[in-house]
Amino acid sequence: MHRGHQVKVLVRSTSDTAFLRGLGAELVFGDLHDPGALARLCVDAEVLVNCAARVGDWGPLNDFRRDNVDGLGVLLDEASRAHVRRIIHISSLGVYDARDHHGTDEDVLPAIHSLDAYTRSKTEAEVLLLSYAASANGRKACAVYGGREVMLPHVERILAASKLLPAQRIKEVVVLRPGFIYGRRDRTVLPKLLGALRRKQFVFFGDGRQAMNAIHVNHLVQAVFRSIDSDGAAGHVFNLTDGANVSKRDFVTEVAQAAGLEVPVRSIPLGLARILATLVHDLAAGLGASKPPLINKARFKFLGLHLDYSVEKARRVLGYQPDPDWRVSLRDAVQHVSGVEPRAQPGNTTGLTEPS
């Protein structure tokens, strides 16, 4: 809106919309399973940014598929009918295999059989989006990663159920893969981390020197706007992080200090943490637990693995330029989330600006 765009937003009837109303956004009430609401959202729209998703590290695959894949199929059809020019889809770096990553780029295949339902659904959503646009452009209906073709059974069923001919489908799609997103209005991950730090329950897995794949929300917004404007972005997948070499210990230490809390020092040996995560996860899943256990495979992936991903493609194709001073941005986010009075910081403060 600050850039002169007219913005419409799909919101649930139960959502707190005060912030969006304050920005002057037009609100469309509904969800991803309501074709009528999606049609109203897409009418007269040139570009659609899809950041709607069921998020979590626990739950049945069908629940995540319904929202993250099936709902995307409905959205793609309605956007196509409305002649939307481009869809920018927010995916996740979680789509990669649960292993150590050292500079992994977009040519590496995502995990076809992910360790949790959320990341499996995000992989399927990517394949659906890329296959949908490929068919619209007269190519084979599949996703291509580093020259390798990927198609998944659930995606095939959604494509087969579409009532649109390939030539009627949207042709321009962009996939953005952010890592762990943090910022001023974070209501999930940073608050949970701060809660564990206050209760002195946080424990590192191993020495904590493993890389963190974090990204400030302003950097993600920058990538979205560059994806809107870039002629060369269509059909591409982009990894996104703060572009800095940040360890999990660095990140957690900065969060604790910004909130005025004790920096955690306790750790579990990495091998033991891996074994515990597997045993506890499988036991809880076998018992049909409705809530995730304190330690599970997804949390081991987040805290135990080295997660270093290349953002060079985003720099090269999109002109992506993350602010290198991640500490300023993180301190600002923590102080707003925790209610700590922000302190004046010397040096570069571009990471403190609100998304435009």
Side-chain angles (χ1 to χ4, degrees), residues 11-87:
V11 296
R12 290 172 295 214
S13 59
T14 55
S15 296
D16 180 356
T17 60
F19 177 74
L20 293 172
R21 291 181 188 277
L23 293 176
E26 178 183 343
L27 305 184
V28 176
F29 290 93
D31 60 40
L32 289 177
H33 307 288
D34 181 351
L38 296 180
R40 293 193 298 276
L41 175 73
C42 293
V43 68
D44 296 328
E46 181 186 7
V47 176
L48 179 68
V49 180
N50 178 38
C51 55
R54 176 184 288 268
V55 179
D57 58 9
W58 197 257
L61 176 58
N62 285 341
D63 288 351
F64 284 91
R65 270 182 173 161
R66 179 177 182 273
D67 293 336
N68 298 348
V69 192
D70 301 351
L72 176 61
V74 179
L75 180 63
L76 284 168
D77 279 356
E78 293 303 329
S80 298
R81 290 189 177 98
H83 305 292
V84 172
R85 176 177 64 87
R86 178 174 293 186
I87 290 183

Side-chain angles (χ1 to χ4, degrees), residues 11 30 50 66 83 88 101 117 148 171 183 221 250 258 260 298 304 330:
V11 296
N50 178 38
R66 179 177 182 273
H83 305 292
I88 297 162
H101 290 270
R148 286 165 289 186
K171 292 180 170 60
V221 171
D250 289 339
L330 180 56

Side-chain angles (χ1 to χ4, degrees), residues 1-12:
M1 282 163 282
H2 294 297
R3 293 171 175 249
H5 298 302
Q6 292 180 304
V7 178
K8 288 195 288 186
V9 185
L10 182 71
V11 296
R12 290 172 295 214

Side-chain angles (χ1 to χ4, degrees), residues 2 32 39 46 53 66 115 122 133 144 154-155 165 173 177 198 230 234 244 302 317:
H2 294 297
L32 289 177
E46 181 186 7
R66 179 177 182 273
L115 57 84
K122 296 297 281 187
V144 179
H154 191 71
V155 173
L165 296 173
V173 300
R177 290 176 177 164
R198 289 190 183 101
S230 171
F302 178 67
V317 178

Side-chain angles (χ1 to χ4, degrees), residues 76-77 80 126-144 150-151 155-156 158-160 162-173 235:
L76 284 168
D77 279 356
S80 298
E126 279 195 16
V127 174
L128 171 59
L129 195 83
L130 296 169
S131 301
Y132 196 95
S135 68
N137 285 293
R139 300 193 301 272
K140 182 178 180 181
C142 65
V144 179
V150 175
M151 176 49 66
V155 173
E156 282 187 309
I158 294 175
L159 289 173
S162 172
K163 296 181 180 179
L164 297 181
L165 296 173
Q168 297 173 305
R169 295 171 179 171
I170 192 166
K171 292 180 170 60
E172 295 186 16
V173 300

Side-chain angles (χ1 to χ4, degrees), residues 215 219-220 222-223 226 240-242 311 314-315 318-322:
I215 179 171
H219 292 154
L220 175 55
Q222 178 198 140
R226 291 185 183 275
L240 295 172
T241 70
D242 283 336
V311 297
R315 293 182 191 272
L318 297 180
Y320 178 60
Q321 297 178 332

Side-chain angles (χ1 to χ4, degrees), residues 58 280-289 293:
W58 197 257
V280 173
H281 179 111
D282 291 347
L283 177 61
L287 294 174

